Amino acid sequence: MHYSALSISKLRTGIMIQQLVNLFKLRIGIIMAVTAVAILAITPGPTTPTVWQMVILALAVLLSSASAGAFNQYMERDLDKLMPRTRNRPFVTGAFSHSRWWLLSMLVLLLVGVAMAGFALNMIAALYIFLGAVTYGVVYTVWLKRRTWLNIVIGGAAGSFAVLAGAAVVDPNLTPIPVIFAIVLFLWTPSHFWSLAIVQHKDYAKAGVPMLPVIIGDHATAKVILANTLALVAISLLPIFFGLQWIYLMGAMTGGGYFLFRNIQLVRDPSPKIAMSNFFASLIQLIVLLAFAVVDVQLLG
């Protein structure tokens, strides 16, 4: 009997953790945190970042991103229940009550992340972290998502602010390397997300969300993704003119080339299967780009 009760307790704990991971969109938060730390590591500046600064930056970005992700789910409960991909989210299922206490918790989470960055890093980094959360939580979720296909284009600036936050830890002044990577993240987000939107085309149409595939169709969207990715890859090569060297160039060309290859496949066959492959290719491209940038700076910088 004791063993059975213990097993039930562990099961409940596991379910709760899974619900929180879902609510806070921790996968997105981890991508943003890793991006911020990578940019911190490659940004030239008057000071050398410490391990503790990296840890604090990662936690601050993760907390603010979690706050914005939870707010997104709180505001979109009505949409989420219409789509199979999101109908198991905790505010839809009733696992978490749709109460104002959750809004307060999200605000506290954001304030803790921003305050942590402000006190331990600097106020400019804290400002960028705050702006990233507001862009995703308010600009994208509240203002744009239900109104225009440009929602994810403008909302993509949230990732750009993570880049600028990482750079600001080393040098609060805007310099070419972080600005270029901020543009890269801005361009990366639509190519990344529109691929998923093709997969979820019918769900978005049913929910009345004006994602690009719903507005112009999957094939036309695939062409837009390819054009956007061409701009993304071209911009991603520019850091070699501002201090990064051949290791980074090799990574940018390899990751970018693979992403473009998947984009071309998507134009030829804009099916959900190929769109999902393109979605994962976008993640590979970003990871390769950041990893080779860090290695380049550590070995050749």
Side-chain angles (χ1 to χ4, degrees):
M1 182 64 70
H2 176 71
Y3 176 79
S4 177
L6 182 61
S7 298
I8 292 173
S9 176
K10 289 182 177 180
L11 179 61
R12 288 175 176 172
T13 301
I15 292 174
M16 176 60 71
I17 292 173
Q18 186 178 19
Q19 295 280 18
L20 290 172
V21 168
N22 188 343
L23 175 66
F24 293 129
K25 297 189 174 184
L26 290 185
R27 294 181 184 88
I28 295 175
I30 289 171
I31 291 173
M32 292 298 97
V34 168
T35 299
V37 171
I39 299 304
L40 177 150
I42 68 172
T43 300
T47 62
T48 301
T50 66
V51 173
W52 277 112
Q53 286 178 313
M54 294 183 182
V55 171
I56 291 169
L57 174 66
L59 286 175
V61 171
L62 191 59
L63 288 175
S64 64
S65 175
S67 171
F71 181 74
N72 171 270
Q73 291 196 24
Y74 185 91
M75 297 299 296
E76 294 186 353
R77 182 182 60 163
D78 59 327
L79 295 180
D80 287 344
K81 68 182 180 182
L82 299 175
M83 299 186 286
R85 183 174 67 92
T86 56
R87 64 174 51 151
N88 290 322
R89 286 177 171 175
F91 287 133
V92 177
T93 63
F96 295 157
S97 62
H98 196 257
S99 70
R100 293 180 181 179
W101 287 108
W102 273 109
L103 285 177
L104 178 61
S105 300
M106 297 166 198
L107 178 60
V108 169
L109 203 62
L110 174 60
L111 293 178
V112 168
V114 172
M116 182 186 299
F119 283 109
L121 303 174
N122 59 61
M123 294 304 297
I124 301 300
L127 175 62
Y128 287 138
I129 290 172
F130 174 76
L131 291 175
V134 170
T135 299
Y136 185 79
V138 178
V139 176
Y140 169 70
T141 300
V142 178
W143 291 346
L144 299 177
K145 185 168 183 178
R146 304 180 194 231
R147 292 180 171 88
T148 173
W149 65 271
L150 289 170
N151 48 25
I152 200 63
V153 177
I154 300 171
S160 300
F161 283 120
V163 169
L164 297 178
V169 176
V170 179
D171 186 353
N173 299 307
L174 290 176
T175 55
I177 291 291
V179 169
I180 292 170
F181 275 95
I183 296 172
V184 165
L185 261 291
F186 183 78
L187 293 172
W188 176 86
T189 303
S191 291
H192 171 74
F193 190 84
W194 282 335
S195 301
L196 183 61
I198 291 176
V199 179
Q200 304 296 332
H201 182 151
K202 293 181 180 179
D203 289 342
Y204 282 123
K206 180 181 178 181
V209 179
M211 290 301 175
L212 191 60
V214 177
I215 303 300
I216 66 173
D218 294 345
H219 191 261
T221 299
K223 292 181 178 179
V224 174
I225 291 173
L226 176 58
N228 187 75
T229 303
L230 282 168
L232 160 65
V233 174
I235 295 295
S236 74
L237 299 178
L238 293 182
I240 63 172
F241 298 105
F242 297 96
L244 295 186
Q245 301 180 54
W246 66 268
I247 294 178
Y248 172 77
L249 179 61
M250 183 171 63
M253 293 180 66
T254 301
Y258 176 68
F259 194 16
L260 285 171
F261 168 72
R262 288 298 190 186
N263 276 208
I264 293 170
Q265 286 187 321
L266 184 62
V267 170
R268 292 174 176 172
D269 177 18
S271 63
K273 180 180 178 181
I274 302 300
M276 203 65 195
S277 296
N278 201 57
F279 174 81
F280 287 118
S282 68
L283 293 171
I284 292 171
Q285 188 260 348
L286 180 62
I287 292 169
V288 169
L289 192 72
L290 295 175
F292 274 68
V294 172
V295 171
D296 187 284
V297 169
Q298 296 302 313
L299 294 183
L300 306 177

